[in-house]
Amino acid sequence: FNQSVAGGGVGSRGSATNLDLSASYKPLKYLNLGINLQNILGGTINWNNAREKLGGYTKIGASMNVLGPITSESFYKFNQSVVAVLDFDLPRDVLGGTSLMHLGAEWTPLNNIAVRAGLNQESAGTGLTLGVGFKNSAFRFDYAYAQRPGLIGDNPHYFSLSYVGDRVVSYDKKFKKYASGINFINPKDRSITSLETIVLKA
């Protein structure tokens, strides 16, 4: 952690080091379990004139392939797929921290369309999340709506455009490899922006 605060001609800087630890386990072919221990070292952020305690959360979650094609690892065989997820945030040494739950599902009625819905619990309440995704062989577009409980009028909308294919065969000396058919220069991979327009270079 490396944080700084400035204002009114006064500034302060704080730093700390911590560690997260996570693991996943697949007890059944259609079920994934996971745990994430945040800030397991504890400790504090040491500011110029103060100390801020670093708490953490233990996150426990599960993902289940409820429906899926015969070739998939799903609980029920069906020509459409449904994935359900559930996780809990359990506070560990967090001032005023409360246990939180997150629940969601993704339904794929067609190979190139995904519909999503969920509940996102925060300390101020529970908000609804909705989304839809479209994918062809090369590009993927996703839209998400995430309601923020406790903040009136704060209902963010997220739009995402991803390049996920196509792959072409290339040869590096004697070895065959699959490389991206298009190389993007701008924007950088996994860029997030609030700009209305973006210069695309590929």
Side-chain angles (χ1 to χ4, degrees), residues 136-154:
N136 66 11
S137 61
F139 289 93
R140 176 172 178 155
F141 171 78
D142 290 286
Y143 161 76
Y145 163 80
Q147 195 177 41
R148 295 296 306 278
L151 297 173
I152 298 174
D154 186 10

Side-chain angles (χ1 to χ4, degrees), residues 117-140:
L119 294 174
N120 178 41
Q121 192 175 47
E122 298 182 4
S123 57
T126 302
L128 178 68
T129 63
L130 298 170
V132 62
F134 303 94
K135 183 177 72 172
N136 66 11
S137 61
F139 289 93
R140 176 172 178 155

Side-chain angles (χ1 to χ4, degrees), residues 135-174:
K135 183 177 72 172
N136 66 11
S137 61
F139 289 93
R140 176 172 178 155
F141 171 78
D142 290 286
Y143 161 76
Y145 163 80
Q147 195 177 41
R148 295 296 306 278
L151 297 173
I152 298 174
D154 186 10
N155 299 312
H157 300 265
Y158 299 94
F159 301 89
S160 173
L161 180 63
S162 307
Y163 177 72
V164 294
D166 292 312
R167 295 293 186 259
V168 296
V169 177
S170 64
Y171 291 89
D172 181 11
K173 296 181 180 179
K174 295 182 179 180

Side-chain angles (χ1 to χ4, degrees), residues 54-185:
L54 280 175
Y57 279 86
T58 298
K59 295 175 176 281
I60 302 172
S63 171
M64 181 178 178
N65 294 335
V66 182
L67 298 178
I70 295 176
T71 56
S72 70
E73 296 180 338
S74 58
F75 186 66
Y76 291 109
K77 301 305 178 185
F78 195 64
N79 58 355
Q80 301 174 2
S81 67
V82 172
V83 178
V85 294
L86 172 68
D87 69 65
F88 295 93
D89 296 347
L90 308 175
R92 210 178 57 253
D93 209 14
V94 177
L95 183 63
T98 58
S99 299
L100 303 172
M101 179 196 69
H102 313 284
L103 172 68
E106 180 183 77
W107 170 45
T108 308
L110 301 171
N111 288 335
N112 56 351
I113 298 176
V115 180
R116 307 175 187 101
L119 294 174
N120 178 41
Q121 192 175 47
E122 298 182 4
S123 57
T126 302
L128 178 68
T129 63
L130 298 170
V132 62
F134 303 94
K135 183 177 72 172
N136 66 11
S137 61
F139 289 93
R140 176 172 178 155
F141 171 78
D142 290 286
Y143 161 76
Y145 163 80
Q147 195 177 41
R148 295 296 306 278
L151 297 173
I152 298 174
D154 186 10
N155 299 312
H157 300 265
Y158 299 94
F159 301 89
S160 173
L161 180 63
S162 307
Y163 177 72
V164 294
D166 292 312
R167 295 293 186 259
V168 296
V169 177
S170 64
Y171 291 89
D172 181 11
K173 296 181 180 179
K174 295 182 179 180
F175 299 99
K176 184 173 79 170
K177 65 177 182 178
Y178 291 92
S180 173
I182 299 176
N183 292 319
F184 285 89
I185 301 169

